[in-house]
Amino acid sequence: MDGLFEIPVVRQKVGLDALIGMVPVLGDLVSAGVGLYLVFEARELGASRWLQARMVGNLLLDFLVGAVPLLGDFFDVLFRAHQRNLRLLQKELGEPYIDTAAR
């Protein structure tokens, strides 16, 4: 969701989160819904409630700022809530983080 495409001129990776976030409110709702799936998976894997709260907080921040026109679109490119949550979950489970966006 956060690093699928690369903008050639600035060499910045963007993902579906930034693209669907361009649709006001609805795009941010869809992105948050996808992010909540990872939170539910974290719960099933035995992640602590504190970690789940941090993950939801990241998604909430992404949703609230992402809903602001223009500012939200730039924020979606820079904040990458889905990658942060994946990294947090992998750290909690003791798995090495593999940066798939670096490929």
Side-chain angles (χ1 to χ4, degrees), residues 2-63:
D2 288 326
L4 187 60
F5 308 105
E6 183 175 324
I7 301 172
V9 176
V10 293
R11 299 189 61 149
Q12 175 71 32
K13 291 206 177 244
V14 297
L16 292 177
D17 185 29
L19 295 177
I20 63 174
M22 290 183 180
V23 177
V25 183
L26 181 62
D28 295 307
L29 278 173
V30 170
S31 176
V34 171
L36 283 175
Y37 173 75
L38 182 61
V39 176
F40 289 127
E41 286 298 315
R43 180 177 174 210
E44 292 296 315
L45 292 170
S48 68
R49 288 182 185 219
W50 172 246
L51 176 73
Q52 293 173 49
R54 284 185 65 189
M55 292 172 75
V56 169
N58 284 338
L59 292 173
L60 188 61
L61 179 63
D62 187 42
F63 173 74

